[in-house]
């Protein structure tokens, strides 16, 4: 009987995860630093707003009907289609803009961020949009007042103010 020779880690075919090898550390650092220059998340926005941060303004780029359903407290309403006409009267180019739309399945915030950047605004996209804002249990404003839904236990940080990041 022939006993198969065990494979060493060096002999094994790479997993699907490493079929494309990771980038060199310097390249990865540059990529992730650049990514953070373009994106923020709902936990960081919420924490900053709760602390009274005034170095950015939040813009909801959804339709009026969507805005009326609920929006981030203190956000400004500027639908993507109205950016070219209304941004100048609503936003200060000296203040960074954090834009959001529905959620991760929507690229409306990306379109809005692009439009604002083309007009000369410094802008970041809030990852997760209003969907993750609500799923994390944060309060929203409506014409009827403020409301809060319970956090989604599968997406919200458990037992902490943030994800521990």
């Amino acid at each position: 009987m022939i006993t198969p020779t065990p494979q060493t880690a060096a002999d094994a075919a790479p997993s699907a995860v490493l079929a494309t090898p990771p980038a060199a550390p310097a390249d990865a650092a540059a990529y992730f630093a650049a990514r953070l220059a373009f994106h923020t998340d709902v936990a960081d926005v919420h924490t900053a707003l709760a602390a009274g941060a005034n170095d950015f303004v939040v813009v909801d780029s959804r339709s009026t009907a969507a805005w009326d359903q609920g929006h981030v407290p203190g956000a400004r309403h500027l639908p993507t289609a109205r950016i070219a006409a209304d941004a100048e009267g609503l936003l200060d180019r000296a203040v960074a803009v954090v834009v959001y739309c529905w959620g991760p399945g929507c690229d409306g915030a990306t379109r809005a961020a692009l439009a604002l950047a083309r007009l000369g605004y410094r802008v970041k996209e809030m990852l997760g949009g209003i969907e993750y804002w609500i799923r994390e249990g944060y309060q929203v404003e409506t014409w009827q007042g403020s409301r809060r839904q319970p956090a989604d236990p599968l997406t919200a940080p458990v037992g902490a103010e943030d994800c521990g990041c």
Side-chain angles (χ1 to χ4, degrees), residues 71-132:
H71 52 273
V72 171
R76 296 185 185 168
H77 186 223
L78 183 57
T80 302
R82 299 289 317 156
I83 288 174
D86 296 344
E88 181 99 12
L90 188 62
L91 304 172
D92 178 351
R93 280 192 179 83
V95 178
V97 177
V98 173
V99 66
Y100 72 89
C101 198
W102 280 109
C106 169
D107 64 0
T110 305
R111 281 193 219 99
L114 175 60
L116 288 165
R118 285 180 171 162
L119 292 173
Y121 293 91
R122 293 176 305 121
V123 62
K124 286 189 172 198
E125 181 178 352
M126 185 175 79
L127 296 176
I130 194 70
E131 176 185 349
Y132 275 73

Side-chain angles (χ1 to χ4, degrees), residues 46-75:
H46 179 267
T47 300
L49 292 174
N54 62 4
D55 55 349
F56 68 94
V57 62
V58 178
V59 169
D60 184 319
S61 65
R62 298 173 303 144
S63 69
T64 300
W67 166 267
D68 289 346
Q69 286 180 317
H71 52 273
V72 171

Side-chain angles (χ1 to χ4, degrees), residues 67-71 73 139-148:
W67 166 267
D68 289 346
Q69 286 180 317
H71 52 273
Q139 184 172 325
V140 295
E141 288 181 345
T142 70
W143 293 114
Q144 294 80 32
S146 296
R147 66 177 168 86
R148 181 185 314 259

